Amino acid sequence: MAEHFAVNGGARLAGAVDVVGAKNSVLKLMAAALLAEGTTTLRNCPEILDVPLMADVLRSLGCTVTVKGDTVTIDVPAEPGAQADYRSVSKLRASVCVLGPLVARCRRAIVPLPGGDAIGSRPLDMHQAGLRKLGATTEIEHGRVVAQADELRGAQIWLDFPSVGATENILMAAVLADGTTVIDNAAREPEIVDLCTMLQQMGAKIDGVGTSTLSVLGVAGLQPAEHRVIGDRIVGATWAFAAAMTRGEVTVRGVDPHHIDLVLDKLRTAGADTVVGTEEFTVRMDQRPTAVDFVTLPFPGFATDLQPMAIALSAVAEGTSMITENVFEARFRFVDEMVRLGADARTDGHHAVVRGVDRLSSAPVWASDIRAGAGLVLAALCADGQTEVWDVEHIDRGYPRFVENLRGLGADIQRVEGEPNR
C-alpha cells in the first residue's frame, strides 16, 4: 500500500529537535569497515532506509551486519567477496563507495552501477581515473564497474571537480597502497573529514584533513574501530529553513553549526535571528522572509542537497530570488511540483527565478528524491489547506522520524496509507 504525508499548512514551528548521524557519512563509514578484518562498530547512526540497504550490500560481500537502533555492527571476514549483489546496489547510489575498499583489500571489485535518487547523472569517470593512477585497471562491463590490480602504488592525483564520491573511493584505496598518494582538489565536506577520522582510528596515515589536498601514506593493514558518526548538517539545515519559512523559532541540537555557516548567514540575510552554540543552534523568524539568491557549490559553498529548501523559502519570500544549480543538472525537476503549490517559479538551464507569493496553495505533489520531498513538505507547511506529498519513501531514506519531529514542533502532518488519484 502506498503512503503519503497529509500536511495542513499554517502552523508556526517552535521547540527543539535532535539531529542524529549524517546519512552522507554513515554509508561511507560502513563501506570503510571493509578495509579491516574484524568487528567495526558505528554509533549515532540515523534510523533511515538507506542504512539497512547498505547493510545488504555488505552482507552480499560476506560481512555479518547487525543494525540495532542507532548502532551498526559490521563483522568483516578475512577474505570478503569482491562482487556486490546487483539487487542491493541498484537501490542505493552510495553503494558505489565499496569500490575503493574492495580494490584495496581484495585487489578486485565488481560493483553494479548504482541506483538511487533521480537528480541527474553521477558519472564514475573520476573514480575510475583515480584508481587507474593507483595501478588498477577499470572498465564498465554489462552494467558493472570491474576493477582489479596486482598491487596499488601511491600516485599524484588531480580531480577535475572536488567530487565527494571520487575523493572517498580514491582515499579508501590509497590507505592500503604502497607509498604516498596525494589527492589534489579533493572534496572538503565534513563527511570527508569524518571518514578520514575513522580511517585514522583504524591506523591510516592521512595529512591535510579538511583541506583540498590530502596526503596518504599507505600502510600494510588496518584494524577495526569504534566510531561515532557526525551530526547530519543537511537535516539540521532543513529544520533551520523550516523555522524561517513558518516564522517560527526552532533549536536544533546534535549538529556542528559551523558545518552550515553559509546557510545560517543566508537566513540572517533573509531576516532571521540566529544563536549559535557548540553542538546546537537556534533560528527565529518574526516576519516574512526577504528574498535571497543561492548558488550551489561544493563545500564550503551552499550544498546542492539544500537547493529544494532554498527554492521553497524563495517561494514564500518577499521579492525575487535566483537559484543557480552547479552540481546536479536534474535537480530542478522539483520546481514543477512547487508550481503545483502555487509558486511563481521558472527555470532556464542552471538557473531558477522565483518570485515570492504571500501564500502557497495546497495540491497533491510527488517527491522525486530525498531532498525534494523534504522541500515539498516545508512548502506545504506554508500553504492553504491540506497538501498530499506522495512517494514519501524518498524522504524516509534521508530523514529519521520526519513526521514525528515535525509534529513535535507543532506541524499538522500525518502519514496516510492509500493510493493516489492521478
Side-chain angles (χ1 to χ4, degrees):
M1 181 69 69
E3 292 182 327
H4 70 274
F5 294 158
V7 186
N8 290 300
R12 175 183 183 268
L13 300 191
V17 61
D18 293 311
V19 174
V20 293
K23 167 192 178 292
N24 290 338
S25 190
V26 67
L27 305 177
K28 319 306 174 61
L29 299 175
M30 292 173 70
L34 288 166
L35 289 164
E37 177 186 357
T39 302
T40 288
T41 301
L42 301 175
R43 305 195 186 280
N44 195 38
C45 300
E47 295 181 50
I48 55 175
L49 290 179
D50 275 9
V51 169
L53 288 176
M54 191 64 181
D56 286 341
V57 174
L58 296 181
R59 291 185 186 109
S60 77
L61 297 169
C63 301
T64 300
V65 186
T66 303
V67 180
K68 187 175 182 180
D70 71 346
T71 301
V72 176
T73 304
I74 305 163
D75 188 38
V76 181
E79 296 184 6
Q83 181 167 345
D85 176 63
Y86 171 79
R87 288 172 298 178
S88 301
V89 171
S90 63
K91 302 174 184 176
L92 187 66
R93 280 187 183 269
S95 56
V96 76
C97 63
V98 302
L99 183 62
L102 289 179
V103 173
R105 188 80 196 286
C106 307
R107 295 297 189 256
R108 178 172 171 79
I110 302 174
V111 182
L113 294 174
D117 290 332
I119 56 175
S121 62
R122 300 188 189 184
L124 301 181
D125 295 356
M126 283 187 285
H127 302 242
Q128 295 185 80
L131 292 176
R132 289 179 188 133
K133 285 274 191 178
L134 294 173
T137 62
T138 73
E139 54 189 345
I140 305 294
E141 290 183 356
H142 310 295
R144 306 175 302 177
V145 184
V146 180
Q148 53 189 8
D150 293 331
E151 62 175 346
L152 295 178
R153 301 176 301 278
Q156 186 85 25
I157 299 171
W158 169 267
L159 297 179
D160 292 334
F161 179 84
S163 161
V164 172
T167 299
E168 291 163 341
N169 260 326
I170 296 167
L171 172 65
M172 288 189 281
V175 293
L176 293 181
D178 182 20
T180 299
T181 298
V182 177
I183 308 172
D184 279 316
N185 200 29
R188 294 185 284 162
E189 274 74 0
E191 295 79 17
I192 296 286
V193 175
D194 199 28
L195 174 60
C196 287
T197 300
M198 177 169 148
L199 291 173
Q200 289 171 328
Q201 291 169 342
M202 297 172 74
K205 297 182 178 179
I206 307 169
D207 289 326
V209 176
T211 74
S212 59
T213 302
L214 294 173
S215 180
V216 185
L217 177 60
V219 296
L222 298 176
Q223 303 80 42
E226 183 170 318
H227 180 77
R228 180 179 174 82
V229 184
I230 60 166
D232 197 316
R233 63 192 173 100
I234 304 300
V235 173
T238 299
W239 299 130
F241 273 98
M245 289 176 62
T246 63
R247 307 181 199 184
E249 182 174 357
V250 176
T251 297
V252 181
R253 301 181 297 222
V255 62
D256 186 343
H258 295 300
H259 292 168
I260 58 168
D261 277 337
L262 182 55
V263 171
L264 296 178
D265 183 62
K266 289 288 187 181
L267 293 180
R268 284 190 289 268
T269 302
D273 294 321
T274 64
V275 178
V276 173
T278 303
E279 285 291 322
E280 68 175 39
F281 62 88
T282 299
V283 173
R284 176 179 176 177
M285 179 74 86
D286 293 324
Q287 69 279 334
R288 184 181 176 188
T290 302
V292 182
D293 293 337
F294 295 89
V295 178
T296 69
L297 289 168
F299 189 84
F302 187 81
T304 181
D305 277 356
L306 293 172
Q307 184 242 83
M309 276 52 88
I311 290 177
L313 175 76
S314 302
V316 297
E318 185 173 359
T320 300
S321 303
M322 177 175 285
I323 297 90
T324 302
E325 174 58 55
N326 290 312
V327 182
F328 290 124
E329 71 277 5
R331 201 142 223 170
F332 281 146
R333 291 176 58 182
F334 162 79
V335 174
D336 292 338
E337 299 304 299
M338 284 295 300
V339 171
R340 287 178 184 265
L341 294 174
D344 183 353
R346 294 169 177 79
T347 61
D348 182 8
H350 290 276
H351 306 284
V353 175
V354 184
R355 296 175 176 85
V357 297
D358 288 333
R359 193 111 184 126
L360 297 171
S361 56
S362 58
V365 290
W366 279 262
S368 57
D369 65 80
I370 297 169
R371 311 307 172 183
L376 289 171
V377 172
L378 265 55
L381 293 171
C382 302
D384 290 326
Q386 184 178 94
T387 295
E388 295 179 354
V389 180
W390 291 88
D391 292 344
V392 297
E393 67 276 6
H394 290 297
I395 302 173
D396 291 336
R397 288 181 46 227
Y399 290 86
R401 295 176 52 80
F402 189 63
V403 169
E404 293 84 352
N405 282 322
L406 277 170
R407 290 174 67 90
L409 295 173
D412 185 351
I413 178 174
Q414 58 183 326
R415 186 186 294 265
V416 180
E417 287 189 351
E419 298 296 333
N421 295 317
R422 300 191 72 163

